[in-house]
Every structure is written in C-alpha cells, then in structure tokens.
C-alpha cells in the first residue's frame, strides 16, 4: 500500500493536525456541532439520569476500608484484600441482575482478577463501557485511589438496575486489577478482545480518583464527543473544568485508547500541586497537592472530598444515560430514520453506527437515500459502506487521494433486494493513520 507522506506535506503538518483537532473540540464545546445529547427533529432526548446518592457511594468506601483493615491494611494485587473487594462488588452486581464475569490473569507471580458486568439488553454492536481500577497500592487502603472511582462506577451500575433502565446501546461496567503495576488488568482485557469486539465499543469512560480532598475538576480530552458530555454537565452546574493532563497514559483508559477505542473520563487530581488560580476557581488550598495521601497509608475514608465525590458520581450517571440512549427514533411520517449519536472512528480502524427501521412494508427502494455527515481531517482515508439488515454491504465510498476535510453528502443506493425493516448500519473504516474524526450523524430516506 502506498504511503501518504508525499501527499500531505503541504496540508497535513503536525501543527495543522493539532489545529484541526483543537478546532473540532472547540466547535463541539461551543455547541456548533450536534452530539448525541441534543434532541433534533425526529429524535427523542435521552431520559434524565437519576441522582446518585452520596451516602450509597460512601457506604461502598466504608466497605473497602473495612476489607483493608481486615486484610493487612491494603487491597493490593495478589493480596486477600483485593479478592475480598472483587467479591464485594460482584455480590452487589449479581443481586442487581447483572451478568458478571471474573477474568483471571497473572502478574508478578500472583493471580489477578478483572470483574466485567453486563446489563442485559441494548444493542451489543454499540457498547458504552465504564471502568475503574479496584486495586490499591500495598502501603494503604486506597480509598481515594481508587476506591472512589470504583464506588462511583458501582453505584452508577446499581442505579441502572434500580431504574430498570432500557438503553438503546449495551452497557458494560468493569473493575480492573493490577492497575498499580502498570495497567496490567485492563491491558489483559483489551488484548483478549477480537478486532470485531473492539469495534463494538463506542466509548470507554474511566474514573480513577474522583474524591480527592483538595479536589480539582479535570475532564479527559481524548474524544471530543465524550468530553463535551462531561463539560456540559459541569458547566450547567456552574463548575469550571480543566483538561486532564496529570494522568495521561497512566490509567486504564490508555489500554483502550491504544487499541483505537474512544475514551473519556474524570479525575480530581493526585500528587500535583493546586495553583492559586485553581484554588480560586474550585476552593481548597493552593500550594498543596490535590491528594496529599496519594499512594500513602493515610488514603483512608477520611481522605475524601464529599462534594467532589458526589458531583463526579452524578456526572458518571449523566454520561451513561446520555451516551446510551435517544439516538435512533424516526421522525413523524415514517419515511426517514436518523442516528445523531457521535461514533468516533478509530485511527486506523472501523466503526459502525446503527439505525433500526420499523413500521415499513416490503423491500427498500431502488433509490434509497443515504445521507452522511462525517467529520474527519482527511476524507481520502475513509472507506464507507451501507450494511443492510441481512449483512449485505453496499459500497458508498472508496479511499482515495482527496485531502479535503469531512464527508457531508447523500448517496443513492439500489437496495430493492433488501427488506426495509431491520437494523441498517453505516460502516466507516479509516485505512490510514494520522488523521481522526467521527460519524456526526446519518440518515436513511425510504
């Protein structure tokens, strides 16, 4: 396959790619581009997420503290406190109706465990996944790092069950082992996914330290659509945020990001020092670490900022409800069906966006209209197919040398051999590295 070096010297310098990425994120943040959380003509807004009770989240932290106290003072990989923590979380999820899987791996001569919990229902071809590492360091109970993220994700999962929530997309929750030894558990999970299974994960959201006592409010900026969901939630409550940089590549989201899966998440700070400007924005103490007990024996239940823990838990639930529902309702009249949810395109890799079609009779027309709106910084990289309910693929666009941005057009497909009803998919493949984008929306007009 030919390289692209010669065709992008003038147009695709690293600075230009950075500027394009910043412009894309800025447009999303400014509301100039429409995401899954926005109701448009013919769609239904996502149901509001329930409030996550702070008392429930703190009750999980108390259990983690008790487990550590009863098991040598920690919940570290290979120690009995970690297995007891896994058993506690699994018991809660099993009782709530989740399908749980305990995944084993070996690290440093000891057996480790990941816990995966799937909520029944939803489109398993479009998975929204949340996760947090459950292990502590050996020097303490690890209540902020990372009992806080683990408890927030657990209580969000339990809120899904209490609400009897039936999302359009499939929900999966995870608790990782041996993160403190180098993201071992999450790497094991991702490395054991097939390429098809990876492509089905629309986004992975990571929560690693969300109750730091001298808290900041940091949002991952890896995926613009996920970032926007979190930023909008905090902005609606008058809480300023900053881009997360302290944990870049240091928590479990990196395992997913390196595999081309869109990632996002929240963080309240670790060992870095809070500046005067940050203290003025968020309160707390300038000149001190966000968490003075980071990786220390004093990381106990007294090392938690209740306000930060409450806000981040509610933000996690908001992201679940927003990213997993309300994307595929047809407009009145029945002739046009649209999906306005953002689907990040792996670089390189493949993503599919579904549209369920119901209420029509017979076959699709010979002039089926396929309208696409794809934001991408080098459209020549993209191969686009329409996939019919029976799996037949209709090529809309091949890769080429076109260095322009975005694909915003309507294709006409002779789909008269296909039943109209069923789940149609837009499949987009990025066949080269270096440029990125996402499916903004697409629609079918019968």
């Amino acid at each position: 396959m030919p390289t692209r070096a010669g065709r992008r010297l003038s147009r695709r310098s690293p600075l230009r790619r950075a500027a394009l990425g910043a412009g894309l994120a800025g447009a999303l943040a400014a509301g100039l581009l429409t995401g899954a959380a926005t109701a448009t003509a013919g769609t239904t807004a996502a149901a509001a997420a329930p409030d996550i009770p702070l008392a429930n989240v703190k009750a999980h932290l108390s259990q983690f503290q008790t487990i550590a106290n009863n098991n040598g003072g920690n919940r570290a990989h290979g120690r009995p406190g970690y297995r007891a923590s896994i058993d506690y979380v699994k018991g809660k999820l099993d009782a709530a109706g989740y399908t749980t899987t305990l995944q084993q791996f070996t690290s440093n001569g000891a057996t480790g465990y990941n816990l995966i919990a799937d909520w029944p229902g939803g489109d398993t071809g479009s998975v929204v996944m949340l996760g947090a590492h459950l292990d502590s360091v050996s020097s303490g109970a690890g209540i902020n790092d990372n009992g806080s993220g683990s408890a927030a994700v657990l209580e969000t999962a339990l809120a899904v069950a209490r609400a009897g929530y039936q999302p359009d997309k499939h929900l999966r929750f995870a608790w990782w082992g041996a993160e403190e030894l180098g993201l071992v558990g999450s790497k094991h999970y991702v490395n054991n996914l097939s390429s098809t299974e990876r492509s089905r994960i629309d986004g992975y959201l990571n929560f690693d330290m969300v109750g730091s006592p001298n808290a900041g409010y940091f949002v991952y900026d890896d995926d613009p659509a996920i970032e926007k969901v979190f930023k909008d939630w905090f902005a609606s409550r008058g809480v300023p945020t900053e881009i997360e940089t302290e944990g870049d590549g240091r928590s479990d989201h990196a395992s997913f990001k390196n595999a081309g899966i869109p990632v996002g998440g929240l963080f309240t700070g670790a060992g870095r020092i809070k500046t005067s400007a940050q203290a003025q924005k968020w309160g707390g103490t300038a000149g001190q670490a966000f968490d003075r007990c980071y990786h220390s024996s004093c990381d106990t239940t007294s090392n938690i900022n209740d306000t930060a823990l409450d806000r981040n838990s509610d933000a996690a639930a908001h992201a679940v409800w927003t990213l997993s529902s309300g994307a595929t309702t047809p407009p009145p009249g029945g002739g046009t069906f649209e999906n306005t949810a953002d689907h990040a395109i792996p670089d390189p890799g493949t993503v599919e966006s579904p549209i369920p079609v119901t209420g029509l009779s017979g076959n699709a027309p010979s002039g089926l209209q396929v309208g696409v709106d794809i934001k991408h910084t080098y459209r020549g990289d993209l191969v686009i197919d329409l996939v019919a309910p029976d799996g037949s693929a209709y090529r809309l666009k091949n890769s080429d040398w076109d260095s322009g941005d975005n694909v915003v057009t309507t294709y006409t497909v002779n789909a008269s051999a296909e039943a109209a009803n069923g789940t149609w998919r837009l499949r987009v493949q990025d066949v080269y590295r270096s440029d990125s984008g996402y499916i903004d929306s697409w629609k079918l007009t019968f």
Side-chain angles (χ1 to χ4, degrees):
M1 185 174 292
T3 66
R4 298 185 302 171
R7 64 176 178 171
R8 60 172 60 247
L9 286 176
S10 62
R11 176 176 166 77
R12 287 293 187 259
S13 69
L15 285 176
R16 175 167 172 78
R17 287 200 297 272
L20 285 166
L24 176 63
L28 280 163
L32 299 177
L33 302 178
T34 302
T38 303
T40 61
T43 67
T44 301
D51 179 75
I52 301 300
L54 175 62
N56 292 9
V57 183
K58 294 191 71 177
H60 301 315
L61 295 183
S62 294
Q63 288 295 321
F64 293 148
Q65 182 70 63
T66 298
I67 287 169
N69 293 345
N70 293 338
N71 291 279
N74 66 70
R75 302 178 303 102
H77 164 75
R79 309 290 181 87
Y82 181 74
R83 181 56 195 260
S85 298
I86 279 281
D87 291 343
Y88 169 76
V89 175
K90 185 176 187 299
K92 292 288 186 182
L93 295 164
D94 287 341
Y98 279 83
T99 300
T100 59
T101 303
L102 203 58
Q103 185 183 50
Q104 292 189 22
F105 59 89
T106 301
S107 181
N108 281 8
T111 300
Y113 303 92
N114 295 324
L115 176 62
I116 311 300
D118 285 271
W119 181 240
D123 180 4
T124 55
S126 297
V127 178
V128 175
M129 189 170 183
L130 278 73
H133 77 87
L134 188 54
D135 62 315
S136 73
V137 292
S138 60
S139 58
I143 298 303
N144 186 40
D145 184 18
N146 183 38
S148 61
S150 293
V153 172
L154 173 57
E155 192 56 32
T156 298
L158 296 179
V160 167
R162 285 194 299 268
Y165 181 43
Q166 297 181 354
D168 295 323
K169 299 184 180 182
H170 184 73
L171 291 177
R172 181 174 300 151
F173 299 85
W175 290 262
W176 309 116
E179 186 270 355
E180 298 290 4
L181 301 183
L183 321 182
V184 179
S186 58
K187 286 179 181 177
H188 177 81
Y189 174 80
V190 173
N191 289 342
N192 280 277
L193 294 173
S194 68
S195 58
T196 299
E197 289 170 329
R198 292 181 187 182
S199 71
R200 290 172 177 165
I201 302 176
D202 284 357
Y204 170 74
L205 282 59
N206 196 58
F207 301 87
D208 187 355
M209 302 177 65
V210 293
S212 303
N214 194 25
Y217 293 90
F218 299 98
V219 176
Y220 295 13
D221 67 339
D222 300 275
D223 179 80
I226 298 173
E227 177 189 2
K228 176 175 168 58
V229 169
F230 284 126
K231 281 187 169 182
D232 286 354
W233 186 89
F234 281 103
S236 72
R237 285 150 180 81
V239 180
T241 57
E242 291 184 9
I243 296 303
E244 193 283 318
T245 58
E246 184 177 4
D248 278 356
R250 293 173 52 194
S251 192
D252 295 296
H253 63 289
S255 302
F256 290 80
K257 182 177 179 179
N258 292 339
I261 296 169
V263 301
L266 299 176
F267 178 59
T268 51
R272 283 190 182 174
I273 303 301
K274 178 177 276 189
T275 67
S276 297
Q278 289 170 331
Q280 189 171 20
K281 278 196 301 188
W282 295 322
T285 306
Q288 291 186 3
F290 293 101
D291 183 0
R292 289 186 293 172
C293 292
Y294 177 58
H295 283 187
S296 301
S297 60
C298 58
D299 188 7
T300 65
T301 49
S302 62
N303 190 48
I304 290 291
N305 181 315
D306 285 359
T307 299
L309 184 65
D310 190 24
R311 285 172 172 168
N312 282 278
S313 299
D314 287 339
H318 169 75
V320 166
W321 261 257
T322 300
L323 293 171
S324 67
S325 69
T328 57
T329 302
T336 300
F337 299 77
E338 185 172 17
N339 188 336
T340 61
D342 292 349
H343 286 69
I345 304 167
D347 180 30
T350 302
V351 68
E352 292 185 345
S353 174
I355 292 181
V357 175
T358 59
L360 301 183
S361 60
N363 285 2
S366 59
L368 178 64
Q369 300 293 298
V370 186
V372 302
D373 185 349
I374 298 172
K375 302 299 190 291
H376 196 275
T377 52
Y378 198 103
R379 61 176 169 244
D381 291 358
L382 301 181
V383 176
I384 306 173
D385 293 288
L386 175 69
V387 182
D390 69 353
S392 300
Y394 295 81
R395 178 59 49 89
L396 304 179
K397 177 189 178 300
N398 286 308
S399 62
D400 51 39
W401 302 95
D402 186 347
S403 63
D405 295 336
N406 308 329
V407 180
V408 183
T409 191
T410 299
Y411 300 96
T412 301
V413 174
N414 182 355
S416 57
E418 308 293 341
N421 289 332
T423 299
W424 298 73
R425 296 178 182 275
L426 187 71
R427 179 188 295 158
V428 180
Q429 181 182 7
D430 187 338
V431 297
Y432 293 103
R433 294 189 183 275
S434 299
D435 292 87
S436 60
Y438 63 99
I439 302 173
D440 184 278
S441 65
W442 72 290
K443 64 182 179 181
L444 293 170
T445 303
F446 289 81

